[in-house]
Amino acid sequence: MTTQALADALGLTLLGNGKIELNSVASLRTAKAHDLIFVESAASLPEALASSAGAVLAGEFAKEAKSKKPLLIAEQPRLAFARAAQILIAEPETRRGIHPNAVVDKSATLGKNIGIAAHVVIGAGCDIGDGCIIAANSFIGAGVRLGRECRIGPNVTIYPGCTLGERVEVQAGTVLGSAGFGYVRDAKTGRYHHFPQIGSLRIEDDVEIGANVTIDRGALEETVIGRGTKIDNLVHIAHNVRIGKNVVIAALTGISGSSVIEDNVIIGGQVGIGDHALVKEGVILGSGSGVLTKKIVRGKGVVFWGRPAKPLKQYLKELAALGKLSKK
Amino acid sequence: MTTQALADALGLTLLGNGKIELNSVASLRTAKAHDLIFVESAASLPEALASSAGAVLAGEFAKEAKSKKPLLIAEQPRLAFARAAQILIAEPETRRGIHPNAVVDKSATLGKNIGIAAHVVIGAGCDIGDGCIIAANSFIGAGVRLGRECRIGPNVTIYPGCTLGERVEVQAGTVLGSAGFGYVRDAKTGRYHHFPQIGSLRIEDDVEIGANVTIDRGALEETVIGRGTKIDNLVHIAHNVRIGKNVVIAALTGISGSSVIEDNVIIGGQVGIGDHALVKEGVILGSGSGVLTKKIVRGKGVVFWGRPAKPLKQYLKELAALGKLSKK
Amino acid sequence: MTTQALADALGLTLLGNGKIELNSVASLRTAKAHDLIFVESAASLPEALASSAGAVLAGEFAKEAKSKKPLLIAEQPRLAFARAAQILIAEPETRRGIHPNAVVDKSATLGKNIGIAAHVVIGAGCDIGDGCIIAANSFIGAGVRLGRECRIGPNVTIYPGCTLGERVEVQAGTVLGSAGFGYVRDAKTGRYHHFPQIGSLRIEDDVEIGANVTIDRGALEETVIGRGTKIDNLVHIAHNVRIGKNVVIAALTGISGSSVIEDNVIIGGQVGIGDHALVKEGVILGSGSGVLTKKIVRGKGVVFWGRPAKPLKQYLKELAALGKLSKK
């Protein structure tokens, strides 16, 4: 693809040679003649121009730069670079059809152009949308519905009855729809009895889920992951949790039962959220912070930190006060 | 099943119509005509009585309530509801027998009425008890013994030599009996050598284990999980740990090598316990708390919080003192 | 193997009978007549000598001890014991060859004396070194290279293009080479777009990785795990991270994108490291500590503790100051 064609496809301004062939993206350090690279600051521009890359994608700061390399100018250069990568780099070709070593129940409904790899199990009554790819050794329980173009990694488990929207991506080892950790203790015997975990799990369009994640199904109702939400590796989401749209959750975070996370929340790594908590729209929970049971955290764009989570300003004040005190 | 039959089966007092048919449980919001629901407080009772549910299970506070719906009165309504669910909702029917795509070693001993799904591997000398169900793509190593009626989820790994009691439930992706993280550093070369991890893992009756959990086998002796203990998703239990009976461990908690957790302990999410620690009977470790190496934590029913873990009262005092200090 | 032969093999001083047959190692409590045990302190020696063990491995403190049992004297007794175990205990015999239920791409290169178990999938162009053993139900993506004598546990996923050195051990359920958690938010639509994750993962010789670990491949470059590094269960390592040689990382720790961990660092359990951080050679991060984004932590042998991580001395001072303050 030429620099001109890429600029056209992404709606970017091209400065310089429009006929350079590009076939991948790279970092400054690793770029070769047909790679696109990007820079986000004027300070990095000279290094980019001196690299071996075929073309440089940059912000508007680069408009006046003197360059022998073609420059693509974008308002959001990192975003444009991500989109360029989607255009330049084809998804690795995956064998379509059903591998003879897969076990697909006769009652399953299979869309067009799907790929079901070796040792996959597809349960009774599943509905697998057009273009879905299910990698090797995954288990799809009875009655699961996958929307179009889902990507299910190897060794994934989807328990019966879960519903995934379109373009949902699930990486290896992840477990969707497990029974929640809800028990009732018998006050007389001291034994724990499982509270019924007969609800479901619904994952909306464009959700992406990392590796070895666990998301429990609802107890009596639903667990819901909203459209466009992104979940990192080793995250735990408990039964009845409701997560909004375009939420980001970093690795090793745990969200306890029945909590609600509203749209556009950003959650760092190793965050802990107690049960029945409410994190309001646009809150930012810093890494390692903790939200107590039943608490409400609010403030669009407000950063919280610490255990229990406090607004960053207060957290820093306390940190400073403690440091000072210890020197007395 | 009629309301009368259910009341009889659970030993509950029935008020009202004994002939209403029930076939499932539900929440207030989702209940339909043949569902049982439950309430734990008088405040929720009117809403429950106004719902579409077929019957309401409630505490003794509801004895004098005026209701057109049948009422089942229980001393522990949540517990009675959990038991009612076990009666009303049949376990999803699972194909019994051995799937032709499973690989079962000839020397394995198989009980009656077991279900071994596709792509399961059962190693040499295994002993699988009556009524066990092993879901697809799981690996059961050589010499593993499962007691009666175990439920092993998909993509589970049980390393050779582990012993599980009766009615043990293990959800998807969990790893039992992995080699512990014990190394000896050579002071001369700086290289780490694996300390022998040749012990075993013994899991007693009625233990329930979530998804993507890891429990290491002992180094030279045993790792033990006591009867009735419940373990949430993504929990890590190291080599030589001994966990008592009816312990509850929430998600993302880690217990280091050779620690002992006595009976009836409750451990929140993301708790960290150092090695060779001792958590005495009935202690409650709040979410995110940390117990240092070799520490002893004691106090039946005493709640500990923070890192390092302190009794809740002291923890709250320190929190308050710090907040006050930062405002000076 | 006789006590004399073992002493010779390990270069240890033997005191007493050189003809006792040994065939395993054990703990003091479980030792039988042909087991070797070890003690690290003079205080434990009498108990060891009174045990049923066939021989006792001890430090130089035991040189003058009166013993009827043979004594093996080592400068580093725990290390010598670990090595003795490697000699005395044969690796469990594994069936070599390719199981008929495995699916191996014709274009894969397979070394000598390898073992590929049931339901394993080996992708196109893989290069599997001599003596490798891949346990049941694992997935090895296209183009993966494994050096000699690797041990891959059951239900493991290795994404396409990863490179493992020699003698790398990976336990069950671990995921190597997953796509990193890198997103670019479109400031106009609020939607997240995946930043390209087309880099690779390189794991050097003698690395050992526990169960249900996740290690992401690089975004544009490499994620690297250095020679001899040991990683515990449920650890998360993000894209572009570079880990040095002989690093130890305990369970449930998370290392964010592009951070660098230099040689000989020791990282406790549940540690969190922000992105683009630098942990310099020989630092010790205590369990549960946190390193902020872009921070540099330095000091060979210096112990850090707390969130944010501070030198232990300062951390303890602050803890004490807070405790005192709360009592006023």
Side-chain angles (χ1 to χ4, degrees):
Chain A
M1 186 170 217
T2 64
T3 38
Q4 185 62 60
L6 185 65
D8 292 348
L10 294 169
L12 305 179
T13 306
L14 172 69
L15 305 177
N17 190 344
K19 294 183 175 166
I20 300 294
E21 286 288 333
L22 297 175
N23 59 29
S24 190
V25 300
S27 71
L28 268 68
R29 282 205 313 170
T30 61
K32 292 174 191 161
H34 298 289
D35 287 334
L36 176 72
I37 61 174
F38 83 113
V39 285
E40 291 186 287
S41 71
S44 308
L45 189 57
E47 198 191 341
L49 297 180
S51 76
S52 306
V56 176
L57 198 157
E60 310 212 336
F61 58 82
K63 265 188 169 166
E64 308 299 323
K66 285 186 181 171
S67 166
K68 288 177 184 168
K69 264 192 222 308
L71 278 166
L72 291 100
I73 306 297
E75 212 177 318
Q76 301 184 59
R78 176 174 282 263
L79 176 66
F81 182 74
R83 286 182 170 159
Q86 282 166 350
I87 293 174
L88 293 172
I89 304 166
E91 193 185 13
E93 209 170 313
T94 311
R95 195 180 306 180
R96 303 297 166 131
I98 300 172
H99 193 284
N101 290 30
V103 173
V104 179
D105 194 276
K106 283 175 187 172
S107 63
T109 304
L110 304 179
K112 294 171 192 164
N113 197 30
I114 64 171
I116 296 180
H119 314 131
V120 167
V121 173
I122 308 272
C126 283
D127 188 340
I128 310 296
D130 292 351
C132 283
I133 294 175
I134 302 173
N137 297 11
S138 282
F139 171 80
I140 313 292
V144 168
R145 282 177 292 162
L146 304 187
R148 297 159 57 98
E149 300 292 344
C150 287
R151 297 286 172 267
I152 309 298
N155 287 310
V156 165
T157 297
I158 307 184
Y159 273 97
C162 296
T163 303
L164 280 66
E166 305 192 350
R167 296 171 302 281
V168 172
E169 300 194 7
V170 181
Q171 293 200 61
T174 282
V175 176
L176 303 179
S178 33
F181 196 64
Y183 289 94
V184 192
R185 190 164 207 183
D186 185 334
K188 290 173 185 165
T189 65
R191 299 181 68 164
Y192 289 91
H193 295 261
H194 219 155
F195 189 85
Q197 303 290 327
I198 57 172
S200 58
L201 168 62
R202 180 163 53 86
I203 296 178
E204 296 182 354
D205 297 346
D206 299 305
V207 168
E208 295 179 29
I209 301 173
N212 283 348
V213 167
T214 62
I215 308 181
D216 291 339
R217 64 178 177 266
L220 299 176
E221 306 198 354
E222 269 188 337
T223 303
V224 182
I225 313 293
R227 183 157 53 80
T229 283
K230 313 299 182 190
I231 298 172
D232 200 358
N233 299 344
L234 292 169
V235 165
H236 165 65
I237 298 175
H239 55 280
N240 301 344
V241 166
R242 301 181 79 88
I243 294 182
K245 299 188 201 315
N246 295 319
V247 171
V248 169
I249 306 174
L252 289 160
T253 282
I255 304 179
S256 304
S258 302
S259 284
V260 174
I261 314 293
E262 291 188 354
D263 297 350
N264 301 307
V265 167
I266 296 174
I267 304 181
Q270 291 179 328
V271 170
I273 299 178
D275 54 283
H276 294 87
L278 169 57
V279 182
K280 299 283 289 180
E281 188 174 353
V283 161
I284 299 169
L285 294 173
S287 291
S289 60
V291 175
L292 293 172
T293 292
K294 294 185 183 169
K295 284 280 171 190
I296 299 173
V297 184
R298 71 177 82 229
K300 213 179 262 190
V302 179
V303 178
F304 289 80
W305 212 266
R307 289 194 177 227
K310 299 160 192 181
L312 179 58
K313 209 172 158 182
Q314 188 189 338
Y315 174 76
L316 290 175
K317 261 190 196 169
E318 294 188 8
L319 221 59
L322 184 56
K324 212 169 145 187
L325 179 72
S326 72
K327 276 164 199 150
K328 277 186 186 170
Chain B
M1 187 169 214
T2 64
T3 40
Q4 184 64 60
L6 185 64
D8 292 349
L10 295 169
L12 305 178
T13 305
L14 172 70
L15 305 176
N17 190 345
K19 293 183 175 167
I20 300 294
E21 285 287 332
L22 297 175
N23 59 28
S24 188
V25 300
S27 71
L28 269 67
R29 282 205 313 171
T30 61
K32 291 174 190 160
H34 297 288
D35 289 332
L36 176 72
I37 60 174
F38 84 113
V39 286
E40 291 185 289
S41 71
S44 309
L45 190 57
E47 197 190 343
L49 297 179
S51 76
S52 307
V56 176
L57 198 158
E60 311 212 335
F61 59 81
K63 267 189 167 166
E64 310 297 325
K66 284 186 180 171
S67 167
K68 288 177 183 168
K69 265 191 221 310
L71 278 166
L72 292 102
I73 307 297
E75 212 176 318
Q76 301 184 61
R78 176 174 282 264
L79 176 66
F81 183 73
R83 286 183 169 160
Q86 282 166 350
I87 292 174
L88 293 173
I89 305 165
E91 193 184 12
E93 209 170 315
T94 312
R95 197 180 304 180
R96 303 296 166 130
I98 300 173
H99 193 282
N101 289 31
V103 173
V104 179
D105 194 276
K106 284 175 186 172
S107 63
T109 304
L110 304 179
K112 293 172 195 163
N113 197 30
I114 64 172
I116 296 180
H119 315 131
V120 167
V121 174
I122 308 272
C126 283
D127 188 340
I128 310 296
D130 292 351
C132 284
I133 294 175
I134 302 173
N137 297 10
S138 283
F139 171 80
I140 313 292
V144 167
R145 281 177 292 161
L146 304 187
R148 299 160 57 98
E149 300 292 344
C150 287
R151 297 286 173 270
I152 309 297
N155 287 309
V156 165
T157 297
I158 307 184
Y159 273 98
C162 296
T163 303
L164 280 66
E166 305 192 351
R167 296 171 303 280
V168 172
E169 300 194 7
V170 181
Q171 292 200 62
T174 281
V175 176
L176 303 179
S178 34
F181 196 63
Y183 289 94
V184 192
R185 190 164 206 185
D186 185 335
K188 291 172 184 165
T189 65
R191 298 180 67 165
Y192 288 91
H193 295 261
H194 219 154
F195 190 85
Q197 302 292 327
I198 57 172
S200 58
L201 168 61
R202 180 162 55 83
I203 296 177
E204 296 182 354
D205 296 347
D206 299 306
V207 168
E208 296 180 26
I209 300 173
N212 283 348
V213 167
T214 63
I215 307 182
D216 291 339
R217 64 178 177 267
L220 301 176
E221 306 197 353
E222 269 187 338
T223 302
V224 181
I225 313 294
R227 183 155 54 79
T229 284
K230 312 299 181 191
I231 298 172
D232 199 358
N233 298 345
L234 293 169
V235 165
H236 165 64
I237 297 175
H239 56 280
N240 302 343
V241 166
R242 300 182 78 87
I243 294 181
K245 300 189 202 313
N246 295 321
V247 171
V248 170
I249 306 174
L252 289 160
T253 282
I255 304 179
S256 305
S258 301
S259 284
V260 174
I261 314 294
E262 292 188 354
D263 297 351
N264 301 308
V265 167
I266 296 173
I267 303 180
Q270 291 179 328
V271 170
I273 298 179
D275 55 282
H276 294 88
L278 169 57
V279 182
K280 301 282 290 180
E281 188 176 352
V283 161
I284 299 170
L285 295 173
S287 290
S289 60
V291 175
L292 293 171
T293 292
K294 293 186 183 168
K295 285 280 172 191
I296 298 172
V297 184
R298 71 176 83 229
K300 214 178 263 190
V302 179
V303 178
F304 290 78
W305 211 266
R307 289 193 177 227
K310 297 160 194 180
L312 179 58
K313 209 172 159 182
Q314 188 189 337
Y315 174 77
L316 290 176
K317 262 190 195 170
E318 293 188 8
L319 219 60
L322 184 57
K324 212 169 147 188
L325 180 71
S326 72
K327 276 168 199 146
K328 278 188 187 166
Chain C
M1 188 173 214
T2 65
T3 40
Q4 185 63 59
L6 185 65
D8 292 347
L10 294 170
L12 306 178
T13 305
L14 172 69
L15 304 176
N17 190 343
K19 293 184 176 165
I20 300 295
E21 285 288 333
L22 298 174
N23 59 29
S24 190
V25 300
S27 70
L28 269 68
R29 281 205 314 170
T30 60
K32 292 174 190 161
H34 298 289
D35 288 332
L36 175 72
I37 61 173
F38 84 114
V39 285
E40 291 186 288
S41 71
S44 308
L45 190 57
E47 198 191 341
L49 297 179
S51 76
S52 307
V56 176
L57 198 158
E60 310 211 336
F61 58 81
K63 265 189 168 164
E64 309 299 324
K66 285 186 180 169
S67 167
K68 288 178 184 167
K69 264 191 222 309
L71 279 166
L72 291 103
I73 307 296
E75 212 177 317
Q76 301 183 61
R78 176 175 282 262
L79 176 66
F81 182 73
R83 286 182 169 160
Q86 281 166 349
I87 293 173
L88 293 173
I89 305 166
E91 192 183 14
E93 209 170 314
T94 311
R95 196 181 303 181
R96 303 296 168 132
I98 300 172
H99 194 283
N101 289 29
V103 173
V104 179
D105 193 277
K106 282 175 186 171
S107 64
T109 305
L110 303 180
K112 293 172 193 163
N113 198 30
I114 64 171
I116 296 180
H119 315 130
V120 167
V121 174
I122 308 271
C126 283
D127 188 340
I128 310 297
D130 293 351
C132 283
I133 294 174
I134 302 172
N137 297 11
S138 283
F139 170 80
I140 313 292
V144 168
R145 282 177 293 161
L146 303 187
R148 299 160 57 97
E149 300 293 343
C150 287
R151 298 286 173 270
I152 309 298
N155 287 311
V156 165
T157 297
I158 307 185
Y159 273 98
C162 295
T163 303
L164 280 67
E166 305 192 350
R167 296 171 302 281
V168 172
E169 300 194 7
V170 182
Q171 293 200 62
T174 281
V175 177
L176 302 179
S178 34
F181 197 64
Y183 289 93
V184 192
R185 190 165 206 184
D186 186 334
K188 290 171 186 168
T189 65
R191 298 181 68 166
Y192 288 91
H193 295 262
H194 219 156
F195 189 85
Q197 303 291 326
I198 58 172
S200 58
L201 168 61
R202 181 162 54 83
I203 295 178
E204 296 183 354
D205 297 346
D206 298 306
V207 168
E208 295 179 27
I209 301 172
N212 283 349
V213 167
T214 63
I215 307 182
D216 290 339
R217 63 178 178 268
L220 299 176
E221 307 197 355
E222 269 188 338
T223 303
V224 182
I225 313 294
R227 184 155 54 79
T229 284
K230 313 298 182 192
I231 298 171
D232 200 359
N233 299 346
L234 293 170
V235 165
H236 165 64
I237 297 176
H239 55 281
N240 302 342
V241 167
R242 301 182 78 88
I243 294 182
K245 300 187 200 315
N246 296 320
V247 171
V248 169
I249 306 174
L252 290 161
T253 282
I255 303 179
S256 304
S258 302
S259 285
V260 174
I261 314 294
E262 291 188 354
D263 297 350
N264 302 307
V265 167
I266 296 172
I267 303 180
Q270 291 178 327
V271 170
I273 298 179
D275 54 283
H276 295 87
L278 170 56
V279 182
K280 300 282 290 178
E281 188 175 352
V283 162
I284 299 169
L285 294 173
S287 291
S289 60
V291 175
L292 294 172
T293 291
K294 293 187 183 169
K295 284 282 171 190
I296 298 173
V297 184
R298 70 178 83 230
K300 215 178 261 189
V302 179
V303 178
F304 289 79
W305 212 265
R307 289 192 178 228
K310 297 160 195 182
L312 179 58
K313 209 171 157 182
Q314 188 189 336
Y315 174 77
L316 291 175
K317 260 190 196 169
E318 293 187 10
L319 221 60
L322 185 56
K324 213 169 144 187
L325 180 72
S326 72
K327 277 166 199 149
K328 277 185 188 168

